[in-house]
Amino acid sequence: MIIFDVILLLFFALIVLLITVSIIYNTVKLGISPMPSSNKAYLAMMQLIDEVELETKAGSIIDLGSGWGNFVIRIAKRYPQREIVGYELSFLPWLTSMLVKKILGLKNLTLHRQNFYQADLSSASILVCYLFPQAMEKISDKLHLEQVGVNFLISNNFALRAWQPCKTIQIDDFYKSPVYLYDITNRER
Ligand SMILES: C[S@@+](CC[C@H](N)C(=O)[O-])C[C@H]1O[C@@H](n2cnc3c(N)ncnc32)[C@H](O)[C@@H]1O
């Protein structure tokens, strides 16, 4: 009996170790951890989506780096008539979000385990992200080069080079973190 308990314990320790190694590996490789946005940031991002939702009508809402799915799941429930898409490369966060999507039966949510820099974003009308400065540089280049039909980009905390935000919400947190709304059709380069 004790041997069985020890084997079980070792099995769980191995799983925890694999999960930890996988998350650390992807964090180093991608330059960012799958840490979700704060609840206050989600509320601000959602407020901005609400404000531009009618203007954009059709077209998908895409989360660039959807992590554990916290945000895509909220918006898929909030806008059942819209196509919501998440791109996530880190395996465990992606798998978790897929499981939650299946359990909740969210048919309007598509989750790709794919690098969003290489993704075709032409179906998007709103992009959302919570990334880091170098990633924002690459997104800026992608939007400029590919001339995709994106209307708006909402970024938690990190600014988008070459565009002026049309609205900024300062979250009521310790850092007064900004959430930016960019009108992508109106670039000021
Ligand atoms: C800070 S999390 C944000 C999660 C979620 N968007 C949110 O706001 O709660 C950023 C996620 O982007 C993912 N990521 C970074 N670069 C990526 C890339 N090139 N393609 C796909 N996912 C990427 C990371 O694995 C991480 O899970």
Side-chain angles (χ1 to χ4, degrees), residues 26 30 32-37 42 45 63-68 70-71 87-90 93 114-117 129-132 156:
N26 281 298
L30 297 173
I32 186 156
S33 75
M35 189 179 74
S37 298
Y42 284 144
M45 289 156 95
D63 188 353
L64 304 174
S66 45
W68 305 95
N70 308 47
F71 192 54
Y87 285 95
E88 177 55 55
L89 267 179
S90 191
Q114 193 190 332
N115 188 333
F116 58 71
Y117 298 127
C129 58
Y130 174 34
L131 293 161
F132 56 102
N156 179 11

Side-chain angles (χ1 to χ4, degrees), residues 127-138:
L127 299 177
V128 291
C129 58
Y130 174 34
L131 293 161
F132 56 102
Q134 290 88 338
M136 298 308 291
E137 292 275 313
K138 284 196 192 180

Side-chain angles (χ1 to χ4, degrees), residues 176-188:
K176 297 272 170 264
S177 315
V179 174
Y180 300 105
L181 171 70
Y182 293 94
D183 179 349
I184 297 300
T185 55
N186 185 17
R187 66 193 77 193
E188 294 175 17

Side-chain angles (χ1 to χ4, degrees), residues 110-168:
T110 308
L111 296 165
H112 300 288
R113 189 161 173 256
Q114 193 190 332
N115 188 333
F116 58 71
Y117 298 127
Q118 282 148 25
D120 174 10
L121 303 179
S122 56
S123 74
S125 52
I126 305 174
L127 299 177
V128 291
C129 58
Y130 174 34
L131 293 161
F132 56 102
Q134 290 88 338
M136 298 308 291
E137 292 275 313
K138 284 196 192 180
I139 290 171
S140 174
D141 290 344
K142 185 173 170 70
L143 290 174
H144 180 59
L145 285 173
E146 294 180 14
Q147 305 261 311
V148 288
V150 175
N151 299 110
F152 293 97
L153 181 139
I154 293 166
S155 174
N156 179 11
N157 219 355
F158 299 101
L160 183 68
R161 177 174 52 83
W163 272 270
Q164 285 296 318
C166 51
K167 183 161 180 177
T168 305

